[in-house]
Amino acid sequence: MGTSLIGHIDSDCFYVSCERVRNYSLRGVPCGILGNQGACVIAKSYELKSYGVKTGHAIWQAKELCPHAVYVKRDFRWYEVISRRLLELLKQVSPSVEYYSIDEMFFDASELERYFGLPIFEATKALQQRVKEEVKIPVSIGVAPTRTIAKLGSDSAKPYGVRTLEKDCEVFLNSQSVGELCGIGTKSERKLRDRNIRNCWQYRQADRLMIRDLLTIKGEALWWELRGDAVTPLQTTRPPHKAIARGGSCGGKTKDWLRIKAWAVRNIERLIETLDHNQVYASQISLQIDANKTALWLGRTPLAMPTASFRTIYDAVMPMLEAAPREHPISHMHIIAEGLTWRTKVQRTFFFEEPQCELDHLKRNINQKLGRFSVRSAETLPLYEVYHDSTHNYDICDVSGKMCF
């Protein structure tokens, strides 16, 4: 194999594996992780999967399929602790690591042989074993000349497997459907199948310009990667956000206007926290809701100047929310900050208004000292059960620095 290698490490059943680190009694038994106020399964062990339980199943469906399973509420603070332990371990053995998601990372694998003093396959196995011993979770690892092939390798090696691949891996690519490629969704897969491109080797052998016309420059990048040319480099730091959103489930479908408004205010406060963390201001605010299984864009409001002021963003969101149709219950909501500007680059003018008032600063300082949401808007009081359940104090989007959700 060449000297330029990229590794992809993927944690097996990550949330469940994290719970098993601190609770040995969960090992070897069917286990599910619950989200959305404990209403549905967001992750599952292989044991639970064998009973037909799927991610997204309601808890009552999961219990019917596997009555003796153990279900645990999510705890993203703990999952972040384990994730960062894995990240730090990888940084010890690799000169470059990309924090792709909470349970997946890409890394420069060109030093593995030297670090472990073993051939590449055995060195990769040694890394896998070290993770198991030090981080206490099982992982699958793929190593290849490009990140695309490396990810295919780790995905196909699950659970708890290792696969090292060379540039010309025809047999392997023939065994992988194009639907396994990261970035190829259902529509793209259908387009490829219409042209008799069903597996990754056929994709690689197809005409490059045809692929580009069909799937744009992103599809062409996959074409190069499948040919062993690494065109997508590792990113060791996250690029600046183009937009930041906060939201999600409203705890079930609801027509209760006070609860809908409370969710909007909660999402505004969470959005401002993230703007503060990233040291940016927003120039535009958008609102999206899901009603009657349909995503509705309720508008996009430009702001007079870049801001992270609660009052300004509140005044932008509420008229859009008031325009929402009332005949169907709302299930999800997202508030999006766009036109982001670094706080150090905001131009002050004669009519300049401070992007945050003293109350914004006071709220932030108290919450940093006493704990998240110690001070919050009174309009969130209808969500009593949300604020008194610690699992809602920290979400997957609060884990910073990763490349994707």
Side-chain angles (χ1 to χ4, degrees), residues 145-161:
T146 70
R147 59 190 292 146
T148 298
I149 301 177
K151 181 165 172 56
L152 285 172
S154 66
D155 288 347
S156 64
K158 282 181 168 289
Y160 199 59

Side-chain angles (χ1 to χ4, degrees), residues 75-341:
D75 182 354
F76 285 111
R77 288 189 186 277
W78 174 241
Y79 306 156
E80 182 181 8
V81 168
I82 301 299
S83 178
R84 294 200 183 277
R85 285 180 187 173
L86 177 59
L87 179 62
E88 290 307 310
L89 187 152
L90 278 181
K91 287 180 178 179
Q92 295 173 18
V93 303
S94 173
S96 301
V97 182
E98 178 181 311
Y99 192 21
Y100 185 69
S101 71
I102 195 170
D103 63 343
E104 291 182 69
M105 297 163 203
F106 289 95
F107 62 97
D108 182 345
S110 58
E111 293 293 309
L112 280 186
E113 290 180 300
R114 183 192 63 78
Y115 186 90
F116 289 102
L118 295 168
I120 188 60
F121 181 80
E122 287 74 15
T124 308
K125 290 286 289 184
L127 173 60
Q128 181 191 47
Q129 183 60 30
R130 180 168 172 181
V131 171
K132 191 71 169 68
E133 292 172 355
E134 296 187 17
V135 187
K136 310 298 183 185
I137 62 171
V139 296
S140 295
I141 308 175
V143 174
T146 70
R147 59 190 292 146
T148 298
I149 301 177
K151 181 165 172 56
L152 285 172
S154 66
D155 288 347
S156 64
K158 282 181 168 289
Y160 199 59
V162 162
R163 177 160 278 129
T164 56
L165 295 159
E166 299 188 19
K167 184 173 183 177
D168 296 314
C169 45
E170 179 177 354
V171 173
F172 173 73
L173 292 180
N174 263 312
S175 72
Q176 300 298 302
S177 164
V178 290
E180 297 297 323
L181 288 169
C182 184
I184 299 296
T186 304
K187 291 183 179 179
S188 296
E189 184 177 7
R190 191 180 303 122
K191 290 179 182 178
L192 290 167
R193 287 182 179 274
D194 288 344
R195 288 158 178 78
N196 204 33
I197 301 173
R198 299 176 180 276
N199 63 53
C200 293
W201 182 258
Q202 292 170 338
Y203 190 113
R204 165 186 163 139
Q205 297 300 101
D207 180 74
R208 176 179 63 84
L209 294 180
M210 183 272 289
I211 292 291
R212 181 175 180 139
D213 288 342
L214 195 66
L215 302 177
T216 73
I217 193 171
K218 292 184 178 180
E220 183 187 5
L222 288 175
W223 183 88
W224 283 111
E225 291 256 324
L226 288 173
R227 298 178 74 85
D229 297 314
V231 297
T232 309
L234 295 176
Q235 299 192 62
T236 56
T237 57
R238 195 197 189 287
H241 292 273
K242 294 181 179 179
I244 295 175
R246 284 296 178 268
S249 169
C250 294
K253 297 178 181 179
T254 180
K255 283 187 174 182
D256 185 330
W257 180 248
L258 287 178
R259 285 186 66 84
I260 292 169
K261 194 173 180 181
W263 279 108
V265 173
R266 173 178 169 84
N267 291 331
I268 291 170
E269 292 187 328
R270 293 175 61 217
L271 181 64
I272 290 171
E273 275 187 337
T274 312
L275 294 174
D276 288 343
H277 175 79
N278 288 280
Q279 288 296 293
V280 292
Y281 293 130
S283 301
Q284 187 168 262
I285 297 294
S286 301
L287 176 64
Q288 179 193 344
I289 63 168
D290 286 4
N292 196 31
K293 298 182 179 180
T294 302
L296 301 174
W297 282 98
L298 297 182
R300 183 172 277 123
T301 302
L303 305 175
M305 59 184 60
T307 187
S309 161
F310 174 83
R311 176 50 57 184
T312 302
I313 295 177
Y314 178 95
D315 289 343
V317 169
M318 288 305 157
M320 293 189 283
L321 189 61
E322 291 280 356
R326 303 288 181 94
E327 61 269 25
H328 298 296
I330 292 175
S331 60
H332 293 75
M333 176 191 306
H334 292 87
I335 299 173
I336 305 102
E338 301 170 296
L340 303 180
T341 304

